[in-house]
Amino acid sequence: KAGVTQTPRYLIKTRGQQVTLSCSPISGHRSVSWYQQTPGQGLQFLFEYFSETQRNKGNFPGRFSGRQFSNSRSEMNVSTLELGDSALYLCASSWGQGVGDTQYFGPGTRLTVL
Amino acid sequence: GENVEQHPSTLSVQEGDSAVIKCTYSDSASNYFPWYKQELGKGPQLIIDIRSNVGEKKDQRIAVTLNKTAKHFSLHITETQPEDSAVYFCAASDDKIIFGKGTRLHILP
């Protein structure tokens, strides 16, 4: 069974631009969660989607948004990029809803904001 | 707010010895405690998890213990091998999940 895939793997943007990241979950998984990983703040929860609905959200500004499609694939969007948004963005999928279900992580998208 | 403290931040052990990583959490509603291993250039990989109704769980060389009263849980790796070198994260979750800052484990030859 294929794992979680994320595209693109690497991205370079400049301040003020926006970016869209994509995540394809493991086949059959209906929940997708997004995380930001930085050396300073570690792994931080962004939001979780289940059956196309945002079920939970972390403490990030409204510039960070996401959505989930009927095939469970998910996208994350960051608008008006700031230097501090440079990070590894990880998505994880699980069969059931809630971050209390076993999650499987993708390899991440490394975003650099110049 | 909710917080997960993880110690130590760096750990070096001789190959074949045991490694122990400890975490404490603040939210008493947390009921799921996974541990992840992250290798360079990869996403975190679940290695073991424990739920609040269990005090200990073991999977080959890896074990996790949970003390809900004290709000702490620990990862134990026995007979360490070079491939155990990685960054390990603990986490505590209820509706949301909070991760520890990670422990970089070095296995010395």
Side-chain angles (χ1 to χ4, degrees):
Chain A
K1 192 184 264 190
V4 177
T5 57
Q6 293 186 245
T7 56
R9 291 293 312 276
Y10 303 91
L11 207 48
I12 299 175
K13 292 285 187 180
T14 56
R15 278 180 299 175
Q17 287 187 310
Q18 74 165 14
V19 66
T20 299
L21 312 181
S22 180
C23 173
S24 292
I26 291 172
S27 177
H29 284 192
R30 297 182 295 169
S31 173
V32 173
S33 298
W34 287 90
Y35 299 85
Q36 182 195 66
Q37 186 175 30
T38 59
Q41 298 300 317
L43 261 168
Q44 292 184 286
F45 172 70
L46 279 156
F47 28 66
E48 180 208 353
Y49 285 87
F50 182 82
S51 292
E52 302 178 64
T53 302
Q54 186 179 89
R55 190 182 167 276
N56 225 327
K57 192 176 189 303
N59 299 323
F60 278 82
R63 299 186 297 107
F64 292 81
S65 63
R67 59 178 176 167
Q68 186 180 34
F69 303 95
S70 58
N71 62 358
S72 293
R73 190 177 70 85
S74 178
E75 287 181 348
M76 190 193 100
N77 184 274
V78 188
S79 62
T80 320
L81 284 165
E82 300 177 0
L83 295 179
D85 297 334
S86 294
L88 181 67
Y89 290 89
L90 294 156
C91 85
S93 76
S94 61
W95 189 86
Q97 63 180 336
V99 291
D101 198 14
T102 301
Q103 297 188 84
Y104 298 85
F105 282 83
T109 293
R110 171 78 61 187
L111 172 65
T112 301
V113 182
L114 302 176
Chain B
E2 297 140 359
N3 190 39
V4 174
E5 298 278 347
Q6 182 173 347
H7 298 282
S9 57
T10 306
L11 179 60
S12 296
V13 301
Q14 212 69 40
E15 182 179 347
D17 287 351
S18 295
V20 179
I21 303 171
K22 299 183 179 182
C23 289
T24 58
Y25 61 98
S26 60
D27 185 359
S28 55
S30 296
N31 54 25
Y32 176 62
F33 307 90
W35 284 89
Y36 290 91
K37 174 184 181 182
Q38 188 173 23
E39 296 173 297
L40 202 59
K42 298 183 179 180
Q45 177 190 7
L46 180 73
I47 55 171
I48 196 166
D49 56 10
I50 192 167
R51 296 192 186 270
S52 58
N53 57 346
V54 175
E56 184 174 356
K57 184 176 178 181
K58 190 174 180 181
D59 182 4
Q60 299 184 333
R61 297 186 298 110
I62 296 173
V64 58
T65 58
L66 170 65
N67 183 326
K68 279 220 77 179
T69 304
K71 291 192 221 166
H72 67 69
F73 55 114
S74 302
L75 177 72
H76 303 252
I77 305 174
T78 59
E79 300 171 15
T80 53
Q81 299 169 5
E83 54 266 34
D84 294 331
S85 293
V87 179
Y88 292 80
F89 294 94
C90 64
S93 81
D94 180 17
D95 265 356
K96 296 183 182 180
I97 186 165
I98 308 292
F99 287 86
K101 287 285 168 62
T103 296
R104 187 171 296 278
L105 176 62
H106 299 278
I107 306 301
L108 307 172

